[in-house]
């Protein structure tokens, strides 16, 4: 099938070539794009309600007042989106299963049309030579579980998640190149239950840390259940925003250490070292989570890959007023500072401190205030961001980090959670009124870059 909307020719003078400075990545290194169910799928009638449907319907929660009933209408347009991936030449596609599409109430009956949709998607990807990497939970909890048991506040939710995971593994596992339990459990717990910025919108620190423990427990239970059902590589996807002390003062260093504990070590330590970080437990005091005997052993299941999502660093200044982040390379449309050195540093630090299995950069990308003008989106800033971060990955690998793939966030502009449709992360522009897709200049760059990598592989034999 031809591309539905022919990509514009490279604009005169614009360079879409691969950056000269980059070395060839090893053969087998996967270049991909990523999405998530709630952000692109739409087809609300074809699934159960999720906590994001409920959140969107609550006035004041999503900045542009939008919803996810249609989003990118991907369920009806997945063939078009697959054509875009083929055009890009990606090796791999990371997507998520919508739990409420497969099991509308989060327990009980399975939903056959949901399984049929993902069956077709996976088979079409495989037929196109694109490796499917899936995530079980990218934040769209069935609303029924929120209503019935307070969502992840309940330990029972972890057991139900393991049942769901086992069924997905049984049905799809052997066709998947990777299956991750959670996407960014820090966001689920902290933004969902502590700050209230994300669904379900609670504001309770003690609840949030109990949730984080239940998420980790659910990961361990799911891994155990899936191992008996599939030989697919299994893992988890964590987000990291490496903290930097603005000044070498004791106060800034302490703030940076705690920030690191609350985000990276709170998840990495139990997964790989068998304990929660002592300094964070002390900081939490009575808000520390309740554990049961054996929980940490369950959480520490061996994994086949570790997904690493990286966008920016966290700048910590305890002065009043705080010192602003330097922003030498600028800030994205989210206000996030571009700081690729933090990615190199992060990958080396994770390697040294945790000896993880092969890492996948499961998300990296940039929001930009894109404009479609005469059929073209000039997003040179995004191309620059992507080049610098791919280079940062290459630098970490040259120093020994074991990285097996890189997924750009995102294939398409999509629903950016509490920002609604106002923030655009896609390589491909989406006109939400017409659902027309237009590859941006950055998509042309990524395509040329992947082709160049493939040519180098070919030349190396
Ligand atoms: C990550 C999320 C992803 C997307 C990007 C911008 O935290 O995993 O869904 O929203 O941020």
């Amino acid at each position: 099938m031809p591309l539905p909307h022919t990509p514009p020719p490279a604009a005169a003078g614009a360079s879409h070539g691969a950056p000269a400075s980059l070395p060839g990545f090893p053969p087998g290194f996967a270049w991909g794009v990523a999405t998530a169910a709630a952000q692109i799928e739409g087809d609300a009638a074809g699934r159960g309600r999720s906590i994001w449907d409920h959140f969107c319907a609550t006035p004041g929660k999503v900045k542009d007042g939008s919803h996810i009933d249609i989003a990118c209408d991907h369920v009806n347009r997945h063939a078009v989106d697959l054509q875009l991936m083929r055009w890009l030449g990606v090796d791999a596609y990371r997507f998520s299963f919508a739990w409420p599409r497969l099991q509308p109430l989060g327990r009980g009956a399975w939903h056959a049309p949901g399984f049929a949709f993902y069956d077709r998607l996976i088979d079409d990807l495989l037929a196109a030579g694109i490796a499917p990497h899936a995530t079980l939970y990218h934040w769209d909890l069935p609303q029924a579980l929120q209503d019935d048991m307070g969502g992840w506040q309940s330990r029972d939710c972890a057991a139900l998640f393991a049942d769901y995971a086992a069924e997905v593994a049984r049905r799809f596992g052997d066709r998947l190149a990777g299956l991750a339990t959670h996407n960014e459990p820090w966001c689920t717990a902290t933004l969902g239950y502590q700050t209230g910025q994300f669904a379900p919108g609670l504001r309770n620190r003690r609840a949030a840390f109990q949730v984080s423990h239940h998420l980790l427990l659910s990961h361990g239970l799911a891994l155990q259940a899936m191992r008996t059902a599939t030989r697919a590589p299994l893992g988890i996807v964590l987000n990291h925003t490496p903290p930097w002390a603005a000044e070498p003062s004791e106060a800034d260093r302490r703030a940076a250490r705690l920030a690191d504990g609350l985000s990276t070590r709170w998840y990495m330590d139990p997964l790989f070292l068998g304990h929660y970080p002592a300094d964070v437990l002390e900081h939490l005091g009575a808000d520390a989570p309740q554990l049961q005997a054996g929980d940490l052993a369950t959480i520490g299941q061996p994994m086949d890959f570790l997904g690493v999502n990286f966008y920016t660093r966290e700048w910590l200044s305890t002065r009043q007023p705080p010192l602003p982040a330097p922003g030498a390379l600028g800030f994205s449309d989210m206000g996030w500072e571009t700081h690729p050195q933090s990615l190199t540093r992060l990958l080396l630090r994770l390697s040294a401190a945790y000896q993880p299995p092969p890492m996948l950069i499961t998300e990296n990308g940039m929001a930009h205030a894109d404009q479609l003008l005469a059929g073209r989106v000039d997003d040179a800033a995004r191309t620059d961001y992507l080049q610098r971060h791919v280079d940062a990955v290459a630098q970490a690998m040259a120093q020994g980090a074991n990285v097996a793939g890189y997924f750009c966030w995102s294939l398409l502009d999509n629903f950016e959670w509490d920002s609604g449709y106002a923030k655009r992360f896609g390589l491909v522009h989406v006109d939400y009124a017409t659902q027309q897709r237009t590859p941006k200049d950055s998509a042309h760059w990524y395509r040329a870059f992947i082709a160049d990598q493939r040519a180098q592989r070919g030349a190396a034999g």
Side-chain angles (χ1 to χ4, degrees):
M1 189 174 57
L3 257 187
H5 306 295
T6 312
S15 160
H16 297 306
S21 70
L22 288 182
F25 281 74
F29 190 93
W31 296 102
V33 284
T35 64
Q39 295 177 276
I40 65 164
E41 282 185 355
D43 183 39
R47 57 167 170 77
R49 234 173 121 69
S50 84
I51 55 172
W52 274 94
D53 294 301
H54 190 78
F55 198 68
C56 291
T58 312
K61 297 295 187 189
V62 174
K63 291 188 188 84
D64 61 2
S66 58
H67 56 69
I68 55 171
D69 291 0
I70 300 166
C72 303
D73 196 28
H74 171 73
V75 165
N76 296 311
R77 293 168 197 267
H78 60 94
V80 168
D81 296 336
L82 183 68
Q83 279 300 111
L84 286 163
M85 287 186 247
R86 293 177 71 138
W87 173 80
L88 279 166
V90 292
D91 303 303
Y93 174 51
R94 173 175 180 245
F95 65 97
S96 77
F97 294 109
W99 187 353
R101 191 175 294 288
L102 294 174
Q103 193 180 30
L105 299 179
R107 57 179 143 185
W110 303 106
H111 186 55
F115 283 93
F117 168 65
Y118 295 113
D119 249 325
R120 164 111 194 261
L121 176 67
I122 292 167
D123 283 348
D124 288 355
L125 285 163
L126 290 172
I130 298 172
H133 287 251
T135 302
L136 286 161
Y137 187 79
H138 202 125
W139 308 349
D140 43 356
L141 187 75
Q143 177 65 29
L145 298 185
Q146 197 66 42
D147 295 339
D148 296 353
M149 59 180 70
W152 293 106
Q153 291 175 90
S154 167
R155 201 175 159 96
D156 293 345
C157 199
L160 291 172
F161 178 73
D163 292 345
Y164 156 63
E167 186 65 10
V168 170
R170 192 176 74 75
R171 304 264 201 131
F172 302 120
D174 293 340
R175 285 175 282 162
L176 296 175
L179 183 53
T181 53
H182 286 278
N183 177 72
E184 304 190 351
W186 179 89
C187 291
T188 304
T190 307
L191 304 182
Y193 290 79
Q194 185 175 345
T195 68
Q197 190 187 333
F198 281 6
L202 262 71
R203 296 207 173 107
N204 180 330
R205 187 174 79 159
R206 181 179 295 193
F209 279 85
Q210 194 62 46
V211 162
S212 69
H213 179 63
H214 291 157
L215 291 168
L216 285 163
L217 181 67
S218 76
H219 158 84
L221 292 171
L223 245 69
Q224 287 176 334
M226 292 193 292
R227 288 285 183 213
T228 63
T230 181
R231 286 190 307 206
L234 304 178
I236 193 169
V237 173
L238 302 181
N239 56 306
H240 303 272
T241 310
W244 285 62
E247 295 177 276
S249 67
E250 181 56 25
D252 284 10
R253 282 180 203 262
R254 218 177 316 121
R257 168 101 186 133
L258 179 60
D260 178 67
L262 288 165
S263 53
T264 292
R265 287 184 289 117
W266 185 257
Y267 292 90
M268 290 295 289
D269 285 10
L271 285 166
F272 290 98
L273 307 178
H275 58 75
Y276 282 109
D279 57 328
V280 182
L281 288 172
E282 193 186 327
H283 167 79
L284 292 174
D287 287 349
Q290 303 294 311
L291 275 59
Q292 291 186 11
D295 282 1
L296 286 164
T298 302
I299 291 169
Q301 298 300 306
M303 285 190 269
D304 306 309
F305 67 89
L306 174 67
V308 174
N309 289 357
F310 176 88
Y311 290 91
T312 185
R313 69 169 165 177
E314 183 177 4
W315 179 256
L316 285 147
S317 171
T318 55
R319 261 186 209 234
Q320 287 310 325
L323 283 181
L329 297 175
F331 297 84
S332 78
D333 198 33
M334 297 296 280
W336 299 348
E337 185 187 10
T338 299
H339 201 260
Q341 306 94 292
S342 283
L343 177 54
T344 305
R345 236 169 77 144
L346 170 70
L347 294 170
L348 292 171
R349 180 263 179 116
L350 294 179
S351 305
Y354 299 99
Q355 290 93 47
M359 292 182 281
L360 293 170
I361 309 303
T362 31
E363 288 181 28
N364 177 242
M366 180 194 187
H368 185 247
D370 298 315
Q371 283 188 300
L372 178 63
L373 294 172
R376 177 180 169 204
V377 178
D378 173 357
D379 61 342
R382 180 177 287 108
T383 299
D384 184 64
Y385 178 98
L386 296 175
Q387 285 185 328
R388 287 180 188 278
H389 285 79
V390 166
D391 198 20
V393 174
Q395 289 189 31
M397 290 172 73
Q399 293 171 68
N402 183 2
V403 185
Y406 173 95
F407 294 77
C408 176
W409 183 271
S410 180
L411 170 65
L412 302 169
D413 289 338
N414 59 48
F415 175 77
E416 179 48 33
W417 309 112
D418 62 323
S419 300
Y421 297 95
K423 301 294 178 196
R424 293 180 178 271
F425 274 91
L427 290 169
V428 175
H429 180 274
V430 176
D431 177 334
Y432 295 108
T434 61
Q435 291 294 343
Q436 176 155 342
R437 275 85 160 130
T438 308
K440 303 176 189 177
D441 283 3
S442 58
H444 289 268
W445 170 76
Y446 198 39
R447 178 177 192 255
F449 171 75
I450 294 171
D452 186 64
Q453 286 294 315
R454 201 160 282 148
Q456 287 188 40
R457 271 181 221 171

